[in-house]
């Protein structure tokens, strides 16, 4: 099995808003992004209803709900007659410097900086207000008292500290915090902007792919991310399957890339779907900063920053779907954007697939495993068995035929704890958290995965 974290266990399932998995979920409850904090103590999810739910890791290892707040509401752009959805596209944590937490959230147009803090004391004994908060008659005040702080039940508050808006003509698809902890980038289909966290009324355009004539448009930006250590480096990928590395030291406008990562395609193998399946849906720097992980529709690739001509590793995620591309195109599934993630030591990568499957690849042994995140499979204390998709006849009872895959069930959003072998998997409106369990032999096993009880976000009968 995969080393250093490809296997996970002691899992727990969080079901959002008491939803019955066997019925059709409210679209507002569908999880749209998942992100661990830098320490891994907190985990944030955003949904299509504009809500953010933060989970905190307890001393015994389980994650429980810490705070819930409404980040974005639906808006309407009257100048363009355009409705702006409240869906949370991305969440990014700022490094925690003191007891308060800070995170960026964004929908299609507006980015917000949130402060999440605890309060366990409240002031009492005001001179100018009564106990109910009403202003007293100053003429009747005959003495002064010193206000005091009284203990109260712990209250977790979320308040917006900055709102960054009116900088993108197209839908925002990425935000990324710079390693200098002072700036961040936001990217839409054609532009990337650089912001200072303290300045909300202006940003600097650092990448602009918009041609003078929109008929000459050949590609759009799909994702962008800063380097984890070098504040002058950033990478962005496009719908043509290319990934560009830009150096902000060379010039203010980074339209001229420093490096271009692109794998040559055999012209004889080109088809109508070639460009669609080569579009990069996610890009992640390794923790070391040496490698880039990119995900296109059918595969995940690892690139060495020192070698542009081809990836050093290529992993086929679900190559068995090549015969289904026509059907996937007609159902719009071919436009699904799967995310990818590194484990804490950069030795294992993870990404999602259809039928609520997610896949892990060990870079050293080149072994892989397919696991399923669903309420039907993840029973309490049950062993989660590896799954296998077969094209022909099933060889084992646990095999599933490619024609039986449910393309409505998909794992698009995944996250890996920055140091521990803990992963978060979002499947529609359900969040699964799996934790590695050490086998008696001492190694991390991918074939031993257990599930613990699932705390509910609301008081609903157990399903």
């Amino acid at each position: 099995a995969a080393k250093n974290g490809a296997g996970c266990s002691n899992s727990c399932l969080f079901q959002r808003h008491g939803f019955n998995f066997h019925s059709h979920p409210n679209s507002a409850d569908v999880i749209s992004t998942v992100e661990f904090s830098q320490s891994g103590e907190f985990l944030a999810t955003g949904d299509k209803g504009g809500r953010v739910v933060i989970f905190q890791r307890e001393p015994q290892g389980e994650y429980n709900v810490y705070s819930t707040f409404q980040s974005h509401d639906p808006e309407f752009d009257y100048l363009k007659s355009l409705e702006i959805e409240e869906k949370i596209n991305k969440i990014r944590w700022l490094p925690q410097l003191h007891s308060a937490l800070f995170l960026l959230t964004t929908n299609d147009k507006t980015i917000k900086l949130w402060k999440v803090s605890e309060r366990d004391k409240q002031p009492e004994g005001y001179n100018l207000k009564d106990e109910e908060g009403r202003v007293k008659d100053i003429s009747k005040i005959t003495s002064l008292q010193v206000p005091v702080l009284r203990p109260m039940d712990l209250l977790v508050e979320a308040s917006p500290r900055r709102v960054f808006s009116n900088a993108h003509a197209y839908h925002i698809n990425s935000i990324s915090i710079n390693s200098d902890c002072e700036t961040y980038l936001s990217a839409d289909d054609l532009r990337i902007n650089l912001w200072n966290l303290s300045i909300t009324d202006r940003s600097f355009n650092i990448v602009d792919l918009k041609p003078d004539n929109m008929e000459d448009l050949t590609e759009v930006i799909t994702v962008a991310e800063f380097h984890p250590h070098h504040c002058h480096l950033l990478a962005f990928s496009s719908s043509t399957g290319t990934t560009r590395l830009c150096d902000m030291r060379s010039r203010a406008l980074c339209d001229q890339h420093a490096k271009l990562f692109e794998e040559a395609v055999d012209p004889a193998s080109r088809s109508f779907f070639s460009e669609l399946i080569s579009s990069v849906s996610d890009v992640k720097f390794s923790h070391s900063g040496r490698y880039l992980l990119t995900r296109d529709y059918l595969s995940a690739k690892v690139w060495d920053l020192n070698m542009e001509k081809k990836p050093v590793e290529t992993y086929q995620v679900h190559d068995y779907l090549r015969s289904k591309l026509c059907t996937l195109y007609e159902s719009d599934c071919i436009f699904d954007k799967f995310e990818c993630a590194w484990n804490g030591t950069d030795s294992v990568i993870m990404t999602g697939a259809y039928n609520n499957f997610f896949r892990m690849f060990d870079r050293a042994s080149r072994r892989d495993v397919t696991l399923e995140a669903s309420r039907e499979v993840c029973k309490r204390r049950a062993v989660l068995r590896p799954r296998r998709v077969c094209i022909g006849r099933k060889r084992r009872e646990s095999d599933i035929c490619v024609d039986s895959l449910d393309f409505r069930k998909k794992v698009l959003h995944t996250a890996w704890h920055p140091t521990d072998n803990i992963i978060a998997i979002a499947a529609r409106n359900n969040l699964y958290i799996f934790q590695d369990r050490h086998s008696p032999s001492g190694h991390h096993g991918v074939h031993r995965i257990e599930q613990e009880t699932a705390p509910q976000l609301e008081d609903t009968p157990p399903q």
Side-chain angles (χ1 to χ4, degrees):
K3 185 181 179 182
N4 291 333
C8 304
S9 65
N10 293 337
S11 55
C12 45
L13 162 71
F14 296 92
Q15 184 186 10
R16 299 175 64 82
H17 308 291
F19 163 70
N20 185 340
F21 190 73
H22 298 284
S23 64
H24 296 286
N26 183 351
S27 61
D29 297 333
V30 175
I31 300 174
S32 54
T33 183
V34 181
E35 186 77 7
F36 278 102
S37 64
Q38 278 83 354
S39 66
E41 182 184 356
F42 295 93
L43 170 67
T45 66
D47 63 24
K48 290 187 175 182
R51 294 178 296 267
V52 173
V53 180
I54 299 177
F55 301 89
Q56 183 181 27
R57 190 180 185 186
E58 303 295 339
Q60 63 272 24
E62 294 184 1
Y63 281 84
N64 290 315
V65 177
Y66 177 71
S67 176
T68 303
F69 60 91
Q70 186 73 27
S71 174
H72 288 73
D73 294 303
E75 303 175 27
F76 191 81
D77 188 336
Y78 291 96
L79 293 177
K80 298 182 179 179
S81 297
L82 180 68
E83 185 177 350
I84 303 173
E85 293 182 342
E86 64 272 32
K87 172 191 169 187
I88 306 298
N89 292 338
K90 293 292 180 181
I91 295 176
R92 290 293 181 265
W93 292 88
L94 274 68
Q96 186 175 359
L97 302 178
H98 46 80
S99 58
L101 307 172
F102 290 89
L103 64 161
L104 285 174
T105 65
T106 184
N107 65 352
D108 288 339
K109 297 291 184 180
T110 305
I111 305 167
K112 295 184 180 181
L113 174 63
W114 289 88
K115 177 183 179 182
V116 181
S117 56
E118 297 180 354
R119 183 156 61 93
D120 59 358
K121 292 181 176 63
Q122 61 182 357
E124 292 183 0
Y126 287 106
N127 290 288
L128 301 180
K129 296 180 181 179
D130 60 19
E131 295 179 355
E132 297 179 359
R134 293 175 297 194
V135 179
K136 295 180 181 179
D137 184 355
I138 299 179
S139 62
K140 296 182 180 180
I141 299 177
T142 59
S143 62
L144 295 178
Q145 57 181 338
V146 178
V148 295
L149 293 175
R150 303 290 186 190
M152 59 174 286
D153 293 337
L154 180 64
L155 177 66
V156 180
E157 299 175 312
S159 56
R161 304 308 298 262
R162 305 275 192 280
V163 177
F164 308 86
S165 58
N166 302 321
H168 286 278
Y170 306 96
H171 291 176
I172 299 172
N173 56 46
S174 304
I175 53 176
S176 179
I177 308 292
N178 201 343
S179 58
D180 62 12
C181 299
E182 294 182 0
T183 57
Y184 74 94
L185 67 77
S186 60
D188 61 24
D189 293 339
L190 296 178
R191 294 187 177 99
I192 299 177
N193 293 333
L194 180 67
W195 298 82
N196 188 294
L197 287 165
S198 302
I199 302 174
T200 61
D201 59 352
R202 64 183 180 273
S203 62
F204 297 95
N205 180 235
I206 55 177
V207 175
D208 190 348
L209 298 186
K210 185 177 180 180
D212 295 332
N213 184 354
M214 287 297 285
E215 293 182 359
D216 298 331
L217 182 66
T218 58
E219 63 179 337
V220 296
I221 299 170
T222 55
V223 61
E225 180 165 303
F226 268 121
H227 191 280
H229 308 304
H230 301 301
C231 61
H232 56 273
L233 293 179
L234 65 99
F236 71 92
S237 297
S238 77
S239 56
T240 59
T242 62
T243 300
R244 297 172 173 88
L245 185 69
C246 299
D247 191 338
M248 293 190 293
R249 297 173 301 180
S250 60
R251 53 186 300 177
L253 192 62
C254 298
D255 288 348
Q256 300 298 321
H257 53 266
K259 293 190 176 184
L260 176 67
F261 302 92
E262 182 179 16
E263 187 173 20
V265 179
D266 183 5
S269 63
R270 280 194 168 275
S271 68
F272 172 78
F273 303 107
S274 295
E275 186 171 338
L276 295 177
I277 62 176
S278 64
S279 176
V280 177
S281 59
D282 196 17
V283 57
K284 291 287 190 345
F285 280 99
S286 62
H287 295 84
S288 66
R290 171 72 183 272
Y291 299 99
L292 269 174
L293 172 62
T294 62
R295 171 69 205 267
D296 56 42
Y297 189 67
L298 295 179
S299 64
K301 299 174 182 177
V302 176
W303 301 81
D304 190 323
L305 294 186
N306 298 323
M307 188 172 72
E308 307 170 54
K309 61 180 180 180
K310 65 177 182 179
V312 293
E313 301 161 23
T314 300
Y315 302 95
Q316 299 300 330
V317 179
H318 40 209
D319 197 54
Y320 46 77
L321 295 181
R322 288 190 180 274
S323 61
K324 301 289 183 182
L325 292 180
C326 186
T327 303
L328 293 167
Y329 176 78
E330 293 174 352
S331 64
D332 285 343
C333 287
I334 202 170
F335 302 104
D336 287 334
K337 299 182 182 301
F338 294 93
E339 296 178 0
C340 52
W342 298 88
N343 74 331
T345 58
D346 298 332
S347 60
V348 182
I349 64 173
M350 173 180 63
T351 189
Y354 290 108
N355 210 72
N356 282 355
F357 289 165
F358 61 97
R359 305 208 62 199
M360 294 181 176
F361 302 91
D362 186 294
R363 299 180 59 204
S365 66
R366 308 290 291 187
R367 298 186 64 178
D368 62 86
V369 65
T370 301
L371 302 169
E372 182 178 0
S374 67
R375 292 182 62 89
E376 292 88 346
V377 174
C378 298
K379 303 297 183 181
R380 178 180 173 86
R381 294 296 182 184
V383 175
L384 188 58
R385 304 288 183 184
R387 302 300 303 272
R388 190 173 70 93
V389 179
C390 57
I391 299 177
R393 268 190 336 184
K394 297 201 308 184
R395 297 181 181 178
R396 297 190 295 259
E397 184 179 352
S398 60
D399 291 353
I400 182 171
C401 180
V402 65
D403 295 325
S404 302
L405 295 175
D406 189 345
F407 296 108
R408 296 169 301 175
K409 297 179 179 180
K410 58 193 79 173
V411 174
L412 301 178
H413 311 290
T414 59
W416 205 310
H417 189 287
T419 56
D420 297 340
N421 291 324
I422 301 174
I423 60 173
I425 306 292
R428 290 192 66 78
N429 64 329
N430 294 284
L431 175 66
Y432 300 84
I433 299 178
F434 299 100
Q435 183 174 356
D436 182 31
R437 190 183 79 178
H438 293 268
S439 63
S441 59
H443 69 278
H444 304 291
V446 297
H447 301 301
R448 301 185 61 81
I449 295 185
E450 293 184 353
Q451 172 120 357
E452 296 182 354
T453 55
Q456 307 267 339
L457 292 188
E458 288 185 356
D459 294 327
T460 56
Q463 304 295 337

